[in-house]
Amino acid sequence: QVQLVESGGGSVQAGGSLRLSCVASRDINNCAGWFRQAPGKAREEVAYIGSYDNIRYRDSVKGRFTISLDHAKKTLYLQMDSLQPEDNGMYYCATDSMRNDRCVTSFRSWGQGTQVTVSS
């Protein structure tokens, strides 16, 4: 199972930016994404790279967040701009397996999370 380590979280004011990184113990064959969880709320998907390099974003972050994957560095990134208080939460990266060119979530691997705090 791949090991994932996130970093880059912190405290910023509304309108600020952060770049999250997720370093994997081996190359990630796409099928990877960022999720977040606010206190008292369910974990939600923020951005995801699919098996065909197709990218999807949560509606509330479209135009502000950018997900990218550097295979050479085995690192998944999340560039977050124009941060708002509603973006507060613990951010986790996750990777899935690829089977027959499709992402399979049955054996999803998670990192330990990195905290993002946005003040108004």
Side-chain angles (χ1 to χ4, degrees):
Q1 193 171 13
V2 62
Q3 305 299 315
L4 303 170
V5 179
E6 302 101 329
S7 62
S11 298
V12 297
Q13 291 190 329
S17 297
L18 287 172
R19 188 193 194 201
L20 305 184
S21 299
C22 172
V23 180
S25 57
R26 57 168 174 77
D27 190 18
I28 305 172
N29 295 319
N30 289 359
C31 298
W34 288 95
F35 298 74
R36 68 186 179 191
Q37 187 168 20
K41 295 187 177 181
R43 188 173 298 187
E44 60 187 23
E45 181 182 293
V46 175
Y48 192 87
I49 299 177
S51 56
Y52 294 104
D53 289 329
N54 48 306
I55 292 176
R56 61 178 184 252
Y57 294 99
R58 187 171 192 80
D59 284 348
S60 61
V61 308
K62 287 180 180 177
R64 300 188 297 121
F65 290 12
T66 303
I67 188 172
S68 62
L69 178 58
D70 187 328
H71 289 283
K73 295 183 178 180
K74 299 180 289 185
T75 302
L76 182 71
Y77 298 100
L78 186 67
Q79 177 66 41
M80 305 187 295
D81 298 318
S82 302
L83 282 162
Q84 300 300 318
E86 51 266 35
D87 297 316
N88 278 327
M90 185 70 79
Y91 282 68
Y92 301 88
C93 66
T95 62
D96 297 316
S97 302
M98 189 183 300
R99 296 288 185 270
N100 299 320
D101 293 334
R102 299 184 64 180
C103 297
V104 177
T105 63
S106 302
F107 301 100
R108 175 167 284 175
S109 296
W110 294 95
Q112 84 289 348
T114 185
Q115 181 68 43
V116 171
T117 302
V118 184
S119 57
S120 58

